[in-house]
Amino acid sequence: MEVRMVAEREHVVIVGAGFAGLQAARDLAGKPLDVTVVDRHDYHLFQPLLYQVATGKLEPQTAAYALRRIIRKMPNVNFRMAEATGVDLEEQLVEVSDGPPLRYDHLILAVGATTNTLGIEGVREHCYPMKTLEDAERMRDHILACFEHVSAHPQARDIEASLTFVIVGGGPTGVELAGALADLIRDVLDEDFPELAMEDITVLLVEALPHVLSPFEEKNRDYARRSLEDRGIQVRLETALESVSEGHVHLPDDEVIRTETILWTAGVRAQPLADRLGLKQVGNGQILVDDDLSVPEHPNVWVAGDLAGATDPDGDPYPQLAPVAMQQGSHVVRQIAKRRRGEPTEPFQYTDKGIMATLGRGSGIAELPIGPSIRGRLAWFAWLGAHVGFLVGVRNRLLTVINWVYAHFFRQRAARMIIRGSEAPRATPAEDVESD
Ligand SMILES: Cc1cc2nc3c(=O)[nH]c(=O)nc-3n(C[C@H](O)[C@H](O)[C@H](O)COP(=O)(O)OP(=O)(O)OC[C@H]3O[C@@H](n4cnc5c(N)ncnc54)[C@H](O)[C@@H]3O)c2cc1C
């Protein structure tokens, strides 16, 4: 009998198939290594479009793509749908909720971030977060259900609370959500609910800082605030939320706003897995990494994306953005190759792709790496183009464009439907952690 010795190939486990993990898997495809991608969902989620799901512009499936469909084209890559529950760093094992643990030679941790309640009382119980597809669907259903409720009970005392929508957080996510919500109300719900007076509806954006859109230049922040106000959105700056109780937002100076809808976009922190690894954490729970993105004292463990506590050459944390995550995913794969060849690794350096935000239909801001920033319709088109370009799958791209055209020209929303029912809020943040 012929016995053939087959050299066992090294095994890379990637935990998390978001922007960073999926990019790493793509870069490892076809390499002489075995790769297993672990994710608790069987789809890759395009988070930048979540606010469009939450406001009925896009169907949830358009912002997601089946992971097995992507991975089946990569012969050396396998997929395991499971929650990673821990890592045994000594034995080099990833523990998962479903199935035996996975042994690794190289581990890439890329589980991203989750909602952060910032320790504010009542946020967990009463606010609607927007970090997952389920969150966005729940938000959409609740917003639409508020209108149905007022239509069914026009004499009720709580009309003001039902038609007051408070968005907490004036970063890009909160600003984009506010603009899209104002559009939904003006373009669609105004006509769908002729019995309601639009003057009774309030969209309020609350931000603790003296400006919205922190990452942008000052002139663009002012432009954004004015654009939102022109759309009828009330913008409250330098207003730190004190607490939330059922039906109420509590602001400084004992000010209380009656509302049934508090949309929470104010904070993110590392996924709970980060707290279970016994590794040093920084910032909002991210794992401390060396400048090559490996974990100190664990040279075969790498962290990429929102989970990575990496800093730029000036010592500032990298922004939590999809391009940063993708570039870090690629960087880690290159460093694994260097380690295997016995070469020294290189520090991660981000190539800035610019930042963009929409402010509602036909309006946006884009600060590109070169040239002056652009605003208004041109920036909005740039945003559309960039996001369609990054979406996974031809079908998703086509559907997205069709839905945008439909919304823009016909003032309709393809997915303005209550599908899951109107559930109570359910934030899914982990406990807030102490970190340095
Ligand atoms: C509403 C919203 C809008 C945004 N808009 C923009 C934008 O316009 N432009 C931009 O550049 N960035 C935007 N971002 C930020 C961007 O989406 C993130 O920076 C990016 O997703 C980070 O990529 P990642 O791979 O680190 O994590 P993610 O993309 O979050 O992927 C993490 C993956 O890990 C999986 N996972 C988590 N925990 C586990 C576990 N324990 N076990 C197994 N799997 C797990 C998740 O299911 C997920 O697939 C936005 C984010 C949000 C929430």
Side-chain angles (χ1 to χ4, degrees):
M1 191 172 66
E2 187 190 16
V3 179
R4 279 196 300 161
M5 295 294 291
V6 179
E8 214 174 83
R9 301 211 299 182
E10 289 183 18
H11 188 208
V12 183
V13 175
I14 303 173
V15 186
F19 286 96
L22 191 57
Q23 185 62 48
R26 284 184 163 132
D27 291 359
L28 284 165
K31 300 276 183 328
L33 291 154
D34 289 326
V35 181
T36 303
V37 177
V38 183
D39 200 291
R40 61 180 173 202
H41 295 124
D42 68 346
Y43 55 81
H44 166 78
L45 176 62
F46 196 86
Q47 291 177 11
L49 292 181
L50 279 182
Y51 80 90
Q52 303 211 353
V53 174
T55 51
K57 211 176 215 177
L58 290 182
E59 294 94 348
Q61 294 87 334
T62 319
Y65 199 86
L67 279 166
R68 284 193 183 273
R69 228 181 131 203
I70 306 170
I71 285 171
R72 73 182 178 198
K73 296 180 189 134
M74 308 173 185
N76 60 326
V77 183
N78 291 306
F79 176 65
R80 173 84 73 85
M81 184 174 130
E83 172 109 19
T85 52
V87 178
D88 184 333
L89 294 162
E90 295 307 314
E91 297 295 323
Q92 303 197 171
L93 291 172
V94 176
E95 291 141 11
V96 287
S97 58
D98 196 12
L102 296 157
R103 187 172 297 282
Y104 64 83
D105 298 296
H106 308 272
L107 174 62
I108 302 174
L109 294 167
V111 291
T114 186
T115 303
N116 187 351
T117 65
L118 305 177
I120 297 174
E121 190 188 327
V123 169
R124 184 188 306 273
E125 295 81 9
H126 303 295
C127 293
Y128 287 84
M130 193 174 61
K131 203 73 184 82
T132 66
L133 210 48
E134 297 92 321
D135 289 343
E137 288 184 282
R138 200 174 291 119
M139 204 181 260
R140 175 203 61 202
D141 287 357
H142 173 78
I143 292 165
L144 296 174
C146 285
F147 282 82
E148 295 295 350
H149 173 77
V150 177
S151 174
H153 305 280
Q155 306 305 330
R157 280 178 54 245
D158 61 357
I159 286 184
E160 181 194 332
S162 295
L163 294 183
T164 296
F165 301 90
V166 179
I167 298 161
V168 187
T173 302
V175 164
E176 291 189 330
L177 179 61
L181 179 57
D183 285 351
L184 172 72
I185 292 167
R186 193 187 51 198
D187 291 353
V188 181
L189 302 181
D190 186 18
E191 294 204 12
D192 287 356
F193 294 93
E195 66 277 27
L196 303 188
M198 286 298 117
E199 310 83 72
D200 291 342
I201 302 170
T202 303
V203 178
L204 173 64
L205 180 69
V206 178
E207 165 59 51
L209 295 173
H211 48 253
V212 293
L213 290 184
S214 272
F216 287 77
E217 291 168 16
E218 195 174 332
K219 62 177 194 280
N220 290 331
R221 296 170 180 169
D222 292 342
Y223 174 83
R225 180 184 47 73
R226 287 197 309 274
S227 297
L228 294 178
E229 287 171 347
D230 289 347
R231 283 166 198 269
I233 298 161
Q234 294 178 25
V235 182
R236 295 279 300 268
L237 302 175
E238 294 184 88
T239 307
L241 194 78
E242 293 206 328
S243 66
V244 177
S245 58
E246 185 159 10
H248 300 93
V249 166
H250 300 267
L251 299 179
D253 302 323
D254 295 327
E255 188 182 356
V256 178
I257 292 170
R258 294 181 58 235
T259 175
E260 284 171 15
T261 310
I262 308 155
L263 310 177
W264 180 258
T265 70
V268 293
R269 69 170 307 279
Q271 283 284 352
L273 179 65
D275 309 334
R276 295 189 215 124
L277 303 178
L279 297 172
K280 192 161 168 52
Q281 291 169 267
V282 290
N284 288 318
Q286 291 116 314
I287 296 173
L288 177 76
V289 287
D290 285 331
D291 59 7
D292 63 358
L293 302 182
S294 67
V295 174
E297 293 163 36
H298 298 279
N300 61 339
V301 180
W302 308 83
V303 191
D306 284 0
L307 188 70
T311 49
D312 66 18
D314 296 330
D316 295 322
Y318 283 108
Q320 293 186 311
L321 293 172
V324 176
M326 292 168 81
Q327 289 181 32
Q328 290 187 339
S330 289
H331 177 83
V332 160
V333 170
R334 287 196 298 274
Q335 305 321 301
I336 290 175
K338 282 180 179 288
R339 277 262 151 81
R340 295 180 70 227
R341 292 196 298 264
E343 295 171 9
T345 56
E346 287 171 355
F348 171 72
Q349 268 188 330
Y350 176 53
T351 307
D352 189 0
K353 301 278 182 190
I355 44 176
M356 297 178 178
T358 59
L359 306 168
R361 182 161 41 77
S363 179
I365 303 176
E367 291 179 8
L368 304 173
I370 45 164
S373 53
I374 49 175
R375 300 181 198 168
R377 197 167 290 276
L378 190 59
W380 186 70
F381 277 116
W383 186 96
L384 299 187
H387 285 71
V388 168
F390 276 117
L391 262 177
V392 181
V394 176
R395 179 184 170 278
N396 282 10
R397 287 186 190 145
L398 278 175
L399 281 177
T400 302
V401 171
I402 290 168
N403 281 333
W404 285 346
V405 169
Y406 186 59
H408 189 70
F409 293 106
F410 300 99
R411 311 276 162 103
Q412 291 300 328
R413 297 290 181 278
R416 54 85 70 230
M417 280 170 260
I418 301 170
I419 309 275
R420 286 170 161 255
S422 162
E423 298 169 41
R426 187 185 61 89
T428 49
E431 293 302 320
D432 301 311
V433 288
E434 291 294 319
S435 51
D436 51 17

